[in-house]
Amino acid sequence: MPKCLFVSSYHQGYAWSDGVERGLRQTLQGKCELRQFDMDTKRKKSMGEQKAAALEAKALIESWRPDVVITADDNAAKHLIQPYYRDAALPFVFCGINWTVKEYGFPYKNVTGMIEVAPVKAMIEEARGLVPGARKVLYIGADTSTEIKNAARIRKAAEDQGLVYEEKLARTLESWVAAYRAGQEYDFIVIGSNAGIDDWDTQHAVDAITPLTRRLTVTSHEWMMPVSMLGMTKVPEEQGEWAGSVALQILDGVAPQSIPVIANRKWDLYLNPALIDTAALTLPPQLHSKGKVYQ
Amino acid sequence: MGAIRIGRRRTVAVLLGLLVVVLAIGVAIRNDLRLAGTAFHELDDEIETTLTRRLDNLNASLRSLSGMHHAMTRLSQQELSAFGQEIGRSHPYVRAILQLRLVDAAERSAYESAFQEAGFPTFAITASHESGGLVPSPARPGYMALGFIEPLDPGLARFLGLDFYSRSSFGDAIDQAVRSGEVAAAPATPIGKDAFLLFKAVYKGFFVPTTESERSAQVHGVYGLLVDVPAFLADISDSPGLRLSTWNSDQAVTLFAHPEATQPDWVARLLPDQHADVDISLASTRFRVSIDRTLDSRALRPAQWITLTTTFVGLYLAGVLVVFTRLRA
């Protein structure tokens, strides 16, 4: 059986990574021998630690000699593919790279995959529709390179729609709650990912924000739904399924460069009725009936 | 003198006996061929019913897509993807749903940039060589560009951006679909092997224009179904040779030609071939199913021959016995 190595930028237990892994394993099950290496770079924050994790992955590639390597998220592309495997013989399939691969120079002749995009334009349009006359929007996320990249996209989408945009990136739950409190002075808040806030505790976050909540909150991350009212959320399994399908094509002899780099297309619609009620917001009936209730 | 007469009568009786045997076998073969003809006729009916129903289903799916397109001011890829998945589930012979948009020459750069910005960094409008290879499209007044495929798989993804007007077989079918407002079909090469394409045009505004000139002027794009031929022909008994053709102009276009599943044996050279043409119409669109089956030894039933020959010979011998007995008396 051919050998497939999965290099995840993050760690097991992180909701996004777990979803990607689920999709990948489902696609590759019984078709290749799958081994996983987690770089854990949400928790290993320094550049030195991240580069060391990439070198570990490289050592594993050299010793185990996989037929194809699948990577998830930006740090594997940045610290593993770009410096060591540009136009190499070993094929790589990436997924979960945020918004663009320009900074890594992809596609190489041995690299293809799926970019991760969020429906930010649709999300901001929906929020504007729910808050007539909205002028100011705040983005709150973790202080990580991923969130900085996400924030730049939200900024562009917001400014394209004539909104005044500001952002607050947090390193601790306390500073995240402070940002949320400040957000009540804006017309609506876009909730980014918490990944990278080391002391994050969802129940504590919910308890802290419930008495503060007056403004609409929207997110594109399903795992942030406990602290958001409306979610237009990406589906991580789609990334893993695509990466797995591409890996199988490559194992069948298709050249990586003949498979174009594409973006994800799926997202789902979620509502958090408890938080909506707390803010005493009234959603239009069609949104109420369409959105999945976040449990 | 008497002995000579008896000898002659015996010779005549034997010759007549052989004639009876030959006649009996002839009747038996004729019966077998007649039964094979009846079975072939029943097969024609079954194929006509099955393929008409399946083409009707595909037409209904395209009409649903067209209806959704016309009803909505803005149809997102997410919404189309969700709708497409349901069509795929209910029609196992639909390999993929395609959405093509008419892009003016002046719009080309913005159209390509929008895709690149949305996470398709290598997206470009391409043209198809007759060899099947893809090259950047030369400048044209307009492009019928493929912008959406559901389900998107790695094998089909490389066709995103393909200008369907760059291939004459696609262009003829699309023009026919645009002019008529009905479905039109084309062979699927190079998009898919063992497949054919059905197209239905969609137009600007909420309603399909009613005149041909208006339809040509207001076309917005085309929806296509990539139909998997083995799944389309699934459950058809006896697996005869099948060819499906259509007309996008005066000339017939073969959508697929599926050979007979089993190889005939040497007896086939002695027996006539079976052939039937069945015409199917979807509104103004004509399809023709050509059905071919080669008869061979499997159509013949020697046990029936023996029964029939034995019966004939038995009757003949009884007759001969009666005649000889009377003559002796």
Side-chain angles (χ1 to χ4, degrees):
Chain A
M1 200 181 276
K3 294 196 280 190
C4 302
L5 177 65
F6 174 43
V7 179
S8 168
S9 293
Y10 306 134
H11 55 277
Q12 286 181 318
Y14 173 39
W16 171 262
S17 298
D18 290 348
V20 173
E21 185 189 330
R22 225 174 5 256
L24 181 70
R25 286 189 182 277
Q26 206 172 349
T27 309
L28 294 182
Q29 195 171 29
K31 293 169 185 158
C32 76
E33 185 188 347
L34 183 63
R35 192 163 167 181
Q36 178 164 350
F37 178 82
D38 295 319
M39 289 173 64
D40 197 11
T41 58
K42 280 283 182 210
R43 295 183 292 209
K44 293 173 181 171
K45 289 187 175 162
S46 75
M47 190 63 81
E49 283 177 310
Q50 294 182 357
K51 284 184 174 175
L55 282 171
E56 272 186 70
K58 182 171 177 280
L60 179 58
I61 290 169
E62 283 163 7
S63 61
W64 195 53
R65 296 182 172 277
D67 297 291
V68 60
V69 180
I70 299 125
T71 68
D73 299 296
D74 280 62
N75 283 336
K78 182 176 178 181
H79 298 301
L80 180 66
I81 305 177
Q82 189 181 25
Y84 303 117
Y85 292 99
R86 182 178 194 135
D87 294 327
L90 180 63
F92 277 76
V93 182
F94 68 81
C95 64
I97 291 181
N98 289 288
W99 301 106
T100 173
V101 288
K102 215 177 266 180
E103 63 207 89
Y104 312 124
F106 294 170
Y108 306 152
K109 71 177 187 189
N110 63 324
V111 175
T112 185
M114 179 178 262
I115 292 173
E116 176 195 338
V117 297
V120 289
K121 194 174 161 215
M123 191 168 72
I124 288 177
E125 278 172 3
E126 192 71 53
R128 284 188 67 199
L130 294 173
V131 185
R135 288 183 52 251
K136 285 166 64 186
V137 55
L138 179 69
Y139 182 78
I140 304 175
D143 188 5
T144 59
S145 57
T146 304
E147 283 303 282
I148 290 168
K149 215 171 165 183
N150 283 339
R153 289 290 170 146
I154 304 273
R155 172 191 289 275
K156 184 172 184 310
E159 290 178 350
D160 283 350
Q161 294 186 45
L163 293 165
V164 175
Y165 169 92
E166 285 182 40
E167 66 194 37
K168 291 184 187 295
L169 302 179
R171 285 175 178 268
T172 63
L173 179 58
E174 190 186 350
S175 59
W176 186 90
V177 172
Y180 189 92
R181 184 181 291 111
Q184 304 309 307
E185 303 305 317
Y186 292 74
D187 293 312
F188 64 91
I189 304 168
V190 178
I191 303 284
S193 174
N194 62 345
I197 298 175
D198 293 337
D199 62 346
W200 181 267
D201 181 305
T202 300
Q203 193 52 53
H204 281 168
V206 171
D207 292 344
I209 67 163
T210 301
L212 305 173
T213 298
R214 296 191 322 274
R215 296 297 188 194
L216 173 72
T217 47
V218 294
T219 188
S220 62
H221 308 294
E222 191 186 330
W223 64 94
M224 297 307 287
M225 278 311 297
V227 293
S228 306
M229 296 173 196
L230 172 68
M232 295 169 90
T233 61
K234 294 169 286 185
V235 180
E237 286 82 356
E238 182 186 10
Q239 300 276 337
E241 284 162 12
W242 179 262
S245 304
V246 171
L248 291 175
Q249 289 265 315
I250 290 170
L251 290 174
D252 273 348
V254 175
Q257 63 192 348
S258 72
I259 304 171
V261 173
I262 66 160
N264 61 284
R265 299 184 306 179
K266 292 183 185 169
W267 51 268
D268 219 335
L269 186 63
Y270 279 98
L271 300 176
N272 181 338
L275 215 50
I276 291 166
D277 290 346
T278 302
L281 286 178
T282 308
L283 298 184
Q286 72 271 19
L287 188 59
H288 232 299
S289 61
K290 181 77 180 163
K292 288 180 178 170
V293 175
Y294 186 76
Q295 309 282 355
Chain B
M1 195 67 180
I4 292 170
R5 197 175 292 159
I6 288 169
R8 270 189 195 157
R9 280 178 189 156
R10 276 184 186 161
T11 307
V12 170
V14 169
L15 286 174
L16 280 174
L18 285 173
L19 189 63
V20 166
V21 170
V22 169
L23 196 67
I25 291 173
V27 170
I29 291 175
R30 188 173 162 277
N31 274 349
D32 286 351
L33 293 180
R34 194 173 48 80
L35 284 172
T38 307
F40 186 66
H41 189 63
E42 285 168 3
L43 182 66
D44 293 352
D45 289 346
E46 179 201 329
I47 289 169
E48 181 180 5
T49 308
T50 304
L51 297 193
T52 302
R53 194 178 63 241
R54 286 179 185 171
L55 284 169
D56 272 337
N57 288 343
L58 292 170
N59 188 25
S61 298
L62 280 169
R63 282 188 180 280
S64 306
L65 282 162
S66 156
M68 185 171 69
H69 177 94
H70 285 114
M72 294 177 75
T73 310
R74 224 181 50 190
L75 179 61
S76 73
Q77 294 225 331
Q78 163 78 354
E79 288 158 340
L80 188 53
S81 176
F83 188 77
Q85 282 181 16
E86 284 306 309
I87 290 181
R89 279 192 200 114
S90 51
H91 302 305
Y93 35 91
V94 174
R95 203 186 287 174
I97 294 164
L98 316 177
Q99 185 192 43
L100 291 80
R101 219 200 92 187
L102 184 62
V103 179
D104 291 338
E107 266 187 287
R108 176 177 176 171
S109 171
Y111 180 78
E112 290 175 335
S113 298
F115 265 92
Q116 289 159 8
E117 185 70 13
F120 297 76
T122 55
F123 182 90
I125 293 183
T126 53
S128 166
H129 263 304
E130 290 308 313
S131 64
L134 300 176
V135 291
S137 175
R140 295 169 61 108
Y143 312 88
M144 193 57 87
L146 176 61
F148 173 88
I149 305 171
E150 176 66 39
L152 185 59
D153 69 44
L156 288 174
R158 73 190 187 98
F159 294 106
L160 282 169
L162 174 64
D163 171 23
F164 274 45
Y165 277 150
S166 68
R167 209 172 170 86
S168 59
S169 57
F170 292 169
D172 291 346
I174 287 170
D175 284 344
Q176 168 74 2
V178 168
R179 282 193 308 268
S180 67
E182 299 294 341
V183 295
T189 310
I191 304 280
K193 284 181 186 161
D194 249 349
F196 66 98
L197 283 162
L198 280 180
F199 296 114
K200 180 155 179 58
V202 288
Y203 305 88
K204 292 168 184 169
F206 286 101
F207 301 100
V208 176
T210 49
T211 65
E212 188 177 315
S213 60
E214 207 187 346
R215 283 195 288 269
S216 296
Q218 300 295 343
V219 63
H220 176 89
V222 168
Y223 282 87
L225 297 179
L226 180 63
V227 182
D228 185 88
V229 170
F232 185 69
L233 301 179
D235 309 326
I236 288 179
S237 51
D238 235 16
S239 304
L242 284 172
R243 192 173 71 245
L244 185 67
S245 315
T246 191
W247 285 262
N248 294 321
S249 58
D250 294 338
Q251 292 223 315
V253 179
T254 300
L255 300 178
F256 65 80
H258 216 251
E260 212 170 341
T262 49
Q263 285 293 317
D265 54 31
W266 66 272
V267 179
R269 277 176 282 171
L270 307 173
L271 299 177
D273 289 341
Q274 293 178 309
H275 176 88
D277 287 327
V278 177
D279 286 335
I280 298 173
S281 293
L282 290 181
S284 60
T285 312
R286 278 171 63 211
F287 293 91
R288 174 165 291 168
V289 188
S290 300
I291 308 161
D292 288 290
R293 193 168 65 173
T294 312
L295 287 180
D296 66 4
S297 62
R298 280 163 297 181
L300 306 177
R301 299 168 305 156
Q304 298 290 324
W305 300 6
I306 292 166
T307 309
L308 199 67
T309 310
T310 309
T311 308
F312 272 50
V313 170
L315 288 170
Y316 173 70
L317 287 175
V320 168
L321 201 63
V322 170
V323 170
F324 271 76
T325 308
R326 281 194 180 173
L327 285 173
R328 277 193 185 170

